[in-house]
Structure formats: structure tokens, C-alpha cells
Amino acid sequence: METPETAKHTTAAEDRRNLLLRVLTALFYGISSFMIMVVNKRVLTIYNFPSFQVLGLGQIAATIVILWFGKLFKFISFPDLSQDTLRKIWPLPVMYLGNMVFGLGGTQQLSLPMLTVLRRFSILMTMIGEYLILKSKPSRAVQFSVYLMIFGTIVAASNDLAFNLQGYIFVLLNDMFTAGNGVLMKQKLESKDLGKYGLMFYNSLFTFFPSLLFAHLTGDLVTTLDFPGWSDQFFCFQFFLACVFGFILMISTVLCTAFNSALTTTIVGCLKNILITYLGMFIGGDYQYSLVNFIGLNISVFGSLIYTKVTFTAKSRPASSNPSGEVSKI
């Protein structure tokens, strides 16, 4: 018979394990998100690859192939395609496609530091989405950190010396789809109908053919076939990395959302942008420095650090009462 003291030790061990999983999955997502932004920026800006849509197609195709072979060789498992699969996953494919396309479009149009600043709006959208759809109300400390980040974003964006309207529209749409994708991913994971691998596979499968058709209609497929960079082995290697990191980013997003929350996943993504911001001044070569922009960015970063402290120092709840490890419900 389990004594109260034994039960207390068991609960403490579960809390430590839960906290470790939350931190590790958040780090995995942050590193993956960092790497794919750097590689995407090099492919789209340094090498001037003509189509972000085709790059997105490559990322979707890599995810489908990797997961299909994983299931074929029984490394992973997920349900077979059925008549109600689309119903179970809908509207997640729309959110994923919009997130990917507009994210790559914004990466191509804007410098990495400005892309970082504008991405802060996705955090506010995620917080609102979690409240409306998941009925998850964040604590006052979390709300304060989010509002502080948004304030810093507005300050930084108020003095953009390289304003690009199309880039702004792409990134703000990307923010909306990022928030929707994160919140709906959390909802679908909790339903346990398809599992995390099934969500990733069918999400990619249902977005591949519409993306392929759109790239064909816009002429991007023909344009990329004539791209002279295919003769450069180093470019081909980076293009391959960009495609593979699309899969890695997707699985890291699912794991981080499952063990934490959609809001945590979004903010971890923005925390990695602290490093992206400064490296982006050299990686893309298209950033124009201004003091107001730099001050606003640091205000936003400070808000991110406050949220991180609130999230990962909060007491971890037992798995039985909080299986996803959500911390935005403090």
C-alpha cells in the first residue's frame, strides 16, 4: 500500500519529468525554428531563389516521404487514410499552408530583424485564440509580458527604414495563420483521433496538391526549373536542408505544443528570434539599423524573457490533471 510520503515523492518525480519534457521540447523547437529561418533566408535572399512557393512544396514533400517510410518500416504508426480523415483534420491544412506560404514570403521580402519584430503579433493572436477556442485564460503575468512585447513591436516598426508593404502584409497574415495553426494543433492533439504523426502526415498530404496546382498556375514551377543555381552543389545542399528542416520544424512544433501550449510554442519561436535578429544583420545583408527600431526590439525581447520565466518556473502540474503540460492556464 502506497504511503502519503511515497505518493509525495512519486508526484515530485512526475513533476520533474514533466518540467524536463517541457523544457527539452521547447529547446528542440527553438533550435529547429532557428535553423530553418537561417537556411530559408540564405536560399531565398543570398541565392535569390525565385519562388518561396516551390521551396514550401519541397518542405511538404519531404515531410510526406519521411513519415511514409517511417510507417512502412514500422518506426512510427498512424491511422490509414479513410473517408473521414479530412473531416477530423480540417481546417488545420488551411492554417498550415497559410503559415508556410506567407512565412516564406515574408522571409524573402523583409530583413530578418524586421521579420522578427513583426512576428510578435502572432503571440497576441495565439493568446486570444487559446482563450476563445480552448477556453484557456493566461495569468496576469503572462498577459503583461505579451502586451509588453506588442508595445516593443509597435515602437520598432514605427521607424522601419526599409518599409515593404507586401512584406508587412505577408508577415501579418503569417502571424494569423501561425496562431490558428498552433491553437487548432492543440485541439486536434487533445482529441487523439490521428495522433501527432497522423496529423503531420495528412496535414502535409492535403496541402501538397493544392500547393502544386497553385505553383503551376503562377508559373513558379517553370521559373524554378530554369534557375541557374541548380548547378551549384552548395546551393543544392542548402535547398535539401531547407526541405528536411521543414519536417523537423513540424515535428518539433507538434511536440512543443503537446507538452506545453500553443502560446508557449509561439513565444519560444520568438525567443529564438533574439539570436536571429542580430545574426540577421549580417546573414541577409538587407537590414537598415535605426536607434528607435533597436530600442523597440529590446523592449519586446524583455517581454519575451518575462514570459519565459513565468512559464518555466511555474509549478509543473501532475500528468493526470494536466497531460499536455499547459502552463498558459496559470
PDB file of all heavy atoms in Angstrom, residues 29 120 122-124 126 142 145-146 149 261-273 303-305 307-308 311:
ATOM      1  N   TYR A  29      12.233  22.790 -30.416  1.00  0.00           N
ATOM      2  CA  TYR A  29      11.503  23.650 -31.338  1.00  0.00           C
ATOM      3  C   TYR A  29      12.288  24.931 -31.633  1.00  0.00           C
ATOM      4  O   TYR A  29      12.360  25.377 -32.778  1.00  0.00           O
ATOM      5  CB  TYR A  29      10.124  24.001 -30.766  1.00  0.00           C
ATOM      6  CG  TYR A  29       9.439  25.098 -31.545  1.00  0.00           C
ATOM      7  CD1 TYR A  29       8.952  24.857 -32.823  1.00  0.00           C
ATOM      8  CD2 TYR A  29       9.312  26.379 -31.010  1.00  0.00           C
ATOM      9  CE1 TYR A  29       8.341  25.862 -33.547  1.00  0.00           C
ATOM     10  CE2 TYR A  29       8.706  27.384 -31.732  1.00  0.00           C
ATOM     11  CZ  TYR A  29       8.217  27.127 -33.001  1.00  0.00           C
ATOM     12  OH  TYR A  29       7.632  28.126 -33.720  1.00  0.00           O
ATOM     13  N   ARG A 120       5.975  39.249 -33.630  1.00  0.00           N
ATOM     14  CA  ARG A 120       5.484  39.325 -32.255  1.00  0.00           C
ATOM     15  C   ARG A 120       3.959  39.336 -32.191  1.00  0.00           C
ATOM     16  O   ARG A 120       3.373  38.910 -31.200  1.00  0.00           O
ATOM     17  CB  ARG A 120       6.017  40.579 -31.562  1.00  0.00           C
ATOM     18  CG  ARG A 120       7.528  40.739 -31.558  1.00  0.00           C
ATOM     19  CD  ARG A 120       8.219  39.739 -30.680  1.00  0.00           C
ATOM     20  NE  ARG A 120       9.661  39.963 -30.663  1.00  0.00           N
ATOM     21  CZ  ARG A 120      10.509  39.168 -30.051  1.00  0.00           C
ATOM     22  NH1 ARG A 120      10.089  38.112 -29.413  1.00  0.00           N
ATOM     23  NH2 ARG A 120      11.816  39.432 -30.088  1.00  0.00           N
ATOM     24  N   SER A 122       1.937  37.486 -33.609  1.00  0.00           N
ATOM     25  CA  SER A 122       1.377  36.136 -33.560  1.00  0.00           C
ATOM     26  C   SER A 122       1.140  35.689 -32.121  1.00  0.00           C
ATOM     27  O   SER A 122       0.264  34.866 -31.852  1.00  0.00           O
ATOM     28  CB  SER A 122       2.316  35.141 -34.263  1.00  0.00           C
ATOM     29  OG  SER A 122       3.545  35.026 -33.568  1.00  0.00           O
ATOM     30  N   ILE A 123       1.914  36.231 -31.184  1.00  0.00           N
ATOM     31  CA  ILE A 123       1.769  35.852 -29.784  1.00  0.00           C
ATOM     32  C   ILE A 123       0.438  36.345 -29.234  1.00  0.00           C
ATOM     33  O   ILE A 123      -0.296  35.604 -28.569  1.00  0.00           O
ATOM     34  CB  ILE A 123       2.934  36.411 -28.950  1.00  0.00           C
ATOM     35  CG1 ILE A 123       4.265  35.924 -29.515  1.00  0.00           C
ATOM     36  CG2 ILE A 123       2.806  36.021 -27.488  1.00  0.00           C
ATOM     37  CD1 ILE A 123       5.468  36.594 -28.907  1.00  0.00           C
ATOM     38  N   LEU A 124       0.116  37.602 -29.518  1.00  0.00           N
ATOM     39  CA  LEU A 124      -1.163  38.153 -29.076  1.00  0.00           C
ATOM     40  C   LEU A 124      -2.319  37.391 -29.711  1.00  0.00           C
ATOM     41  O   LEU A 124      -3.309  37.068 -29.036  1.00  0.00           O
ATOM     42  CB  LEU A 124      -1.243  39.636 -29.425  1.00  0.00           C
ATOM     43  CG  LEU A 124      -2.547  40.347 -29.055  1.00  0.00           C
ATOM     44  CD1 LEU A 124      -2.763  40.322 -27.548  1.00  0.00           C
ATOM     45  CD2 LEU A 124      -2.537  41.780 -29.579  1.00  0.00           C
ATOM     46  N   THR A 126      -2.319  34.301 -30.747  1.00  0.00           N
ATOM     47  CA  THR A 126      -2.386  32.970 -30.135  1.00  0.00           C
ATOM     48  C   THR A 126      -3.066  33.025 -28.775  1.00  0.00           C
ATOM     49  O   THR A 126      -3.895  32.168 -28.443  1.00  0.00           O
ATOM     50  CB  THR A 126      -0.973  32.378 -29.985  1.00  0.00           C
ATOM     51  OG1 THR A 126      -0.357  32.292 -31.266  1.00  0.00           O
ATOM     52  CG2 THR A 126      -1.028  30.989 -29.366  1.00  0.00           C
ATOM     53  N   VAL A 142       1.474  36.598 -17.534  1.00  0.00           N
ATOM     54  CA  VAL A 142       1.605  36.226 -18.941  1.00  0.00           C
ATOM     55  C   VAL A 142       1.035  37.329 -19.830  1.00  0.00           C
ATOM     56  O   VAL A 142       1.650  37.727 -20.823  1.00  0.00           O
ATOM     57  CB  VAL A 142       0.893  34.888 -19.222  1.00  0.00           C
ATOM     58  CG1 VAL A 142       0.798  34.630 -20.720  1.00  0.00           C
ATOM     59  CG2 VAL A 142       1.626  33.735 -18.539  1.00  0.00           C
ATOM     60  N   SER A 145       3.408  40.296 -20.028  1.00  0.00           N
ATOM     61  CA  SER A 145       4.574  40.052 -20.880  1.00  0.00           C
ATOM     62  C   SER A 145       4.206  40.137 -22.358  1.00  0.00           C
ATOM     63  O   SER A 145       4.966  40.669 -23.173  1.00  0.00           O
ATOM     64  CB  SER A 145       5.188  38.680 -20.564  1.00  0.00           C
ATOM     65  OG  SER A 145       4.308  37.627 -20.913  1.00  0.00           O
ATOM     66  N   VAL A 146       3.027  39.641 -22.710  1.00  0.00           N
ATOM     67  CA  VAL A 146       2.584  39.695 -24.104  1.00  0.00           C
ATOM     68  C   VAL A 146       2.337  41.136 -24.538  1.00  0.00           C
ATOM     69  O   VAL A 146       2.766  41.561 -25.621  1.00  0.00           O
ATOM     70  CB  VAL A 146       1.313  38.843 -24.307  1.00  0.00           C
ATOM     71  CG1 VAL A 146       0.740  39.050 -25.711  1.00  0.00           C
ATOM     72  CG2 VAL A 146       1.615  37.369 -24.080  1.00  0.00           C
ATOM     73  N   MET A 149       5.572  42.907 -25.133  1.00  0.00           N
ATOM     74  CA  MET A 149       6.170  42.542 -26.415  1.00  0.00           C
ATOM     75  C   MET A 149       5.514  43.284 -27.569  1.00  0.00           C
ATOM     76  O   MET A 149       6.187  43.758 -28.491  1.00  0.00           O
ATOM     77  CB  MET A 149       6.066  41.029 -26.626  1.00  0.00           C
ATOM     78  CG  MET A 149       7.111  40.222 -25.877  1.00  0.00           C
ATOM     79  SD  MET A 149       7.021  38.465 -26.283  1.00  0.00           S
ATOM     80  CE  MET A 149       5.626  37.958 -25.298  1.00  0.00           C
ATOM     81  N   SER A 261       2.072  24.497 -24.548  1.00  0.00           N
ATOM     82  CA  SER A 261       0.830  25.071 -25.055  1.00  0.00           C
ATOM     83  C   SER A 261       1.126  25.782 -26.356  1.00  0.00           C
ATOM     84  O   SER A 261       2.282  26.016 -26.711  1.00  0.00           O
ATOM     85  CB  SER A 261       0.240  26.061 -24.045  1.00  0.00           C
ATOM     86  OG  SER A 261       1.048  27.221 -23.955  1.00  0.00           O
ATOM     87  N   ALA A 262       0.063  26.138 -27.087  1.00  0.00           N
ATOM     88  CA  ALA A 262       0.252  26.860 -28.344  1.00  0.00           C
ATOM     89  C   ALA A 262       0.930  28.200 -28.101  1.00  0.00           C
ATOM     90  O   ALA A 262       1.782  28.645 -28.883  1.00  0.00           O
ATOM     91  CB  ALA A 262      -1.104  27.059 -29.030  1.00  0.00           C
ATOM     92  N   LEU A 263       0.564  28.864 -27.001  1.00  0.00           N
ATOM     93  CA  LEU A 263       1.170  30.154 -26.685  1.00  0.00           C
ATOM     94  C   LEU A 263       2.651  29.999 -26.371  1.00  0.00           C
ATOM     95  O   LEU A 263       3.486  30.792 -26.800  1.00  0.00           O
ATOM     96  CB  LEU A 263       0.429  30.798 -25.506  1.00  0.00           C
ATOM     97  CG  LEU A 263       0.904  32.192 -25.083  1.00  0.00           C
ATOM     98  CD1 LEU A 263       0.826  33.172 -26.241  1.00  0.00           C
ATOM     99  CD2 LEU A 263       0.085  32.698 -23.902  1.00  0.00           C
ATOM    100  N   THR A 264       3.007  28.948 -25.635  1.00  0.00           N
ATOM    101  CA  THR A 264       4.416  28.691 -25.322  1.00  0.00           C
ATOM    102  C   THR A 264       5.215  28.432 -26.594  1.00  0.00           C
ATOM    103  O   THR A 264       6.316  28.960 -26.769  1.00  0.00           O
ATOM    104  CB  THR A 264       4.541  27.484 -24.376  1.00  0.00           C
ATOM    105  OG1 THR A 264       3.856  27.764 -23.159  1.00  0.00           O
ATOM    106  CG2 THR A 264       5.998  27.189 -24.064  1.00  0.00           C
ATOM    107  N   THR A 265       4.666  27.615 -27.492  1.00  0.00           N
ATOM    108  CA  THR A 265       5.344  27.331 -28.753  1.00  0.00           C
ATOM    109  C   THR A 265       5.596  28.603 -29.541  1.00  0.00           C
ATOM    110  O   THR A 265       6.688  28.812 -30.084  1.00  0.00           O
ATOM    111  CB  THR A 265       4.493  26.363 -29.606  1.00  0.00           C
ATOM    112  OG1 THR A 265       4.276  25.159 -28.870  1.00  0.00           O
ATOM    113  CG2 THR A 265       5.193  26.030 -30.907  1.00  0.00           C
ATOM    114  N   THR A 266       4.601  29.470 -29.581  1.00  0.00           N
ATOM    115  CA  THR A 266       4.750  30.727 -30.323  1.00  0.00           C
ATOM    116  C   THR A 266       5.817  31.612 -29.712  1.00  0.00           C
ATOM    117  O   THR A 266       6.652  32.197 -30.417  1.00  0.00           O
ATOM    118  CB  THR A 266       3.404  31.481 -30.352  1.00  0.00           C
ATOM    119  OG1 THR A 266       2.401  30.634 -30.920  1.00  0.00           O
ATOM    120  CG2 THR A 266       3.507  32.743 -31.191  1.00  0.00           C
ATOM    121  N   ILE A 267       5.845  31.713 -28.389  1.00  0.00           N
ATOM    122  CA  ILE A 267       6.808  32.606 -27.748  1.00  0.00           C
ATOM    123  C   ILE A 267       8.224  32.022 -27.797  1.00  0.00           C
ATOM    124  O   ILE A 267       9.196  32.766 -27.960  1.00  0.00           O
ATOM    125  CB  ILE A 267       6.377  32.919 -26.301  1.00  0.00           C
ATOM    126  CG1 ILE A 267       5.129  33.787 -26.332  1.00  0.00           C
ATOM    127  CG2 ILE A 267       7.490  33.611 -25.541  1.00  0.00           C
ATOM    128  CD1 ILE A 267       4.765  34.450 -25.035  1.00  0.00           C
ATOM    129  N   VAL A 268       8.367  30.703 -27.703  1.00  0.00           N
ATOM    130  CA  VAL A 268       9.694  30.106 -27.859  1.00  0.00           C
ATOM    131  C   VAL A 268      10.229  30.422 -29.254  1.00  0.00           C
ATOM    132  O   VAL A 268      11.417  30.735 -29.433  1.00  0.00           O
ATOM    133  CB  VAL A 268       9.645  28.579 -27.634  1.00  0.00           C
ATOM    134  CG1 VAL A 268      10.951  27.934 -28.068  1.00  0.00           C
ATOM    135  CG2 VAL A 268       9.382  28.275 -26.172  1.00  0.00           C
ATOM    136  N   GLY A 269       9.343  30.374 -30.234  1.00  0.00           N
ATOM    137  CA  GLY A 269       9.743  30.744 -31.584  1.00  0.00           C
ATOM    138  C   GLY A 269      10.226  32.175 -31.664  1.00  0.00           C
ATOM    139  O   GLY A 269      11.164  32.494 -32.405  1.00  0.00           O
ATOM    140  N   CYS A 270       9.599  33.053 -30.908  1.00  0.00           N
ATOM    141  CA  CYS A 270      10.032  34.448 -30.909  1.00  0.00           C
ATOM    142  C   CYS A 270      11.293  34.658 -30.074  1.00  0.00           C
ATOM    143  O   CYS A 270      12.093  35.551 -30.366  1.00  0.00           O
ATOM    144  CB  CYS A 270       8.902  35.345 -30.395  1.00  0.00           C
ATOM    145  SG  CYS A 270       7.561  35.513 -31.566  1.00  0.00           S
ATOM    146  N   LEU A 271      11.491  33.843 -29.042  1.00  0.00           N
ATOM    147  CA  LEU A 271      12.717  33.948 -28.253  1.00  0.00           C
ATOM    148  C   LEU A 271      13.951  33.615 -29.093  1.00  0.00           C
ATOM    149  O   LEU A 271      14.992  34.265 -28.973  1.00  0.00           O
ATOM    150  CB  LEU A 271      12.649  32.999 -27.045  1.00  0.00           C
ATOM    151  CG  LEU A 271      11.893  33.503 -25.818  1.00  0.00           C
ATOM    152  CD1 LEU A 271      11.820  32.400 -24.763  1.00  0.00           C
ATOM    153  CD2 LEU A 271      12.561  34.739 -25.244  1.00  0.00           C
ATOM    154  N   LYS A 272      13.820  32.628 -29.955  1.00  0.00           N
ATOM    155  CA  LYS A 272      14.961  32.281 -30.807  1.00  0.00           C
ATOM    156  C   LYS A 272      15.266  33.419 -31.771  1.00  0.00           C
ATOM    157  O   LYS A 272      16.385  33.546 -32.272  1.00  0.00           O
ATOM    158  CB  LYS A 272      14.718  30.963 -31.543  1.00  0.00           C
ATOM    159  CG  LYS A 272      13.618  30.927 -32.567  1.00  0.00           C
ATOM    160  CD  LYS A 272      14.069  31.357 -33.932  1.00  0.00           C
ATOM    161  CE  LYS A 272      13.057  31.232 -35.018  1.00  0.00           C
ATOM    162  NZ  LYS A 272      11.872  31.900 -35.112  1.00  0.00           N
ATOM    163  N   ASN A 273      14.270  34.276 -31.993  1.00  0.00           N
ATOM    164  CA  ASN A 273      14.485  35.410 -32.881  1.00  0.00           C
ATOM    165  C   ASN A 273      15.423  36.460 -32.282  1.00  0.00           C
ATOM    166  O   ASN A 273      15.895  37.358 -32.990  1.00  0.00           O
ATOM    167  CB  ASN A 273      13.148  36.065 -33.226  1.00  0.00           C
ATOM    168  CG  ASN A 273      12.365  35.240 -34.231  1.00  0.00           C
ATOM    169  OD1 ASN A 273      12.927  34.470 -34.985  1.00  0.00           O
ATOM    170  ND2 ASN A 273      11.056  35.397 -34.224  1.00  0.00           N
ATOM    171  N   GLY A 303      10.021  41.546 -22.789  1.00  0.00           N
ATOM    172  CA  GLY A 303       8.728  40.919 -22.535  1.00  0.00           C
ATOM    173  C   GLY A 303       8.778  39.417 -22.742  1.00  0.00           C
ATOM    174  O   GLY A 303       8.181  38.650 -21.983  1.00  0.00           O
ATOM    175  N   SER A 304       9.521  38.968 -23.767  1.00  0.00           N
ATOM    176  CA  SER A 304       9.677  37.533 -24.017  1.00  0.00           C
ATOM    177  C   SER A 304      10.379  36.837 -22.858  1.00  0.00           C
ATOM    178  O   SER A 304      10.013  35.730 -22.458  1.00  0.00           O
ATOM    179  CB  SER A 304      10.476  37.312 -25.306  1.00  0.00           C
ATOM    180  OG  SER A 304       9.803  37.827 -26.419  1.00  0.00           O
ATOM    181  N   LEU A 305      11.389  37.483 -22.319  1.00  0.00           N
ATOM    182  CA  LEU A 305      12.127  36.899 -21.198  1.00  0.00           C
ATOM    183  C   LEU A 305      11.256  36.796 -19.952  1.00  0.00           C
ATOM    184  O   LEU A 305      11.339  35.818 -19.202  1.00  0.00           O
ATOM    185  CB  LEU A 305      13.373  37.737 -20.909  1.00  0.00           C
ATOM    186  CG  LEU A 305      14.454  37.729 -22.001  1.00  0.00           C
ATOM    187  CD1 LEU A 305      15.572  38.703 -21.650  1.00  0.00           C
ATOM    188  CD2 LEU A 305      15.005  36.321 -22.200  1.00  0.00           C
ATOM    189  N   TYR A 307       7.986  36.371 -19.936  1.00  0.00           N
ATOM    190  CA  TYR A 307       7.070  35.246 -20.147  1.00  0.00           C
ATOM    191  C   TYR A 307       7.773  33.911 -19.928  1.00  0.00           C
ATOM    192  O   TYR A 307       7.226  32.992 -19.328  1.00  0.00           O
ATOM    193  CB  TYR A 307       6.478  35.277 -21.561  1.00  0.00           C
ATOM    194  CG  TYR A 307       5.636  34.056 -21.825  1.00  0.00           C
ATOM    195  CD1 TYR A 307       4.320  33.985 -21.369  1.00  0.00           C
ATOM    196  CD2 TYR A 307       6.165  32.936 -22.460  1.00  0.00           C
ATOM    197  CE1 TYR A 307       3.563  32.850 -21.560  1.00  0.00           C
ATOM    198  CE2 TYR A 307       5.415  31.802 -22.658  1.00  0.00           C
ATOM    199  CZ  TYR A 307       4.110  31.765 -22.205  1.00  0.00           C
ATOM    200  OH  TYR A 307       3.371  30.628 -22.384  1.00  0.00           O
ATOM    201  N   THR A 308       8.994  33.791 -20.443  1.00  0.00           N
ATOM    202  CA  THR A 308       9.741  32.550 -20.284  1.00  0.00           C
ATOM    203  C   THR A 308       9.945  32.211 -18.811  1.00  0.00           C
ATOM    204  O   THR A 308       9.792  31.060 -18.396  1.00  0.00           O
ATOM    205  CB  THR A 308      11.110  32.660 -20.980  1.00  0.00           C
ATOM    206  OG1 THR A 308      10.910  33.026 -22.352  1.00  0.00           O
ATOM    207  CG2 THR A 308      11.851  31.343 -20.925  1.00  0.00           C
ATOM    208  N   THR A 311       6.656  31.054 -17.324  1.00  0.00           N
ATOM    209  CA  THR A 311       6.252  29.741 -17.826  1.00  0.00           C
ATOM    210  C   THR A 311       7.045  28.596 -17.209  1.00  0.00           C
ATOM    211  O   THR A 311       6.493  27.656 -16.645  1.00  0.00           O
ATOM    212  CB  THR A 311       6.407  29.688 -19.356  1.00  0.00           C
ATOM    213  OG1 THR A 311       5.573  30.681 -19.944  1.00  0.00           O
ATOM    214  CG2 THR A 311       6.016  28.322 -19.892  1.00  0.00           C
TER     215      THR A 311
END
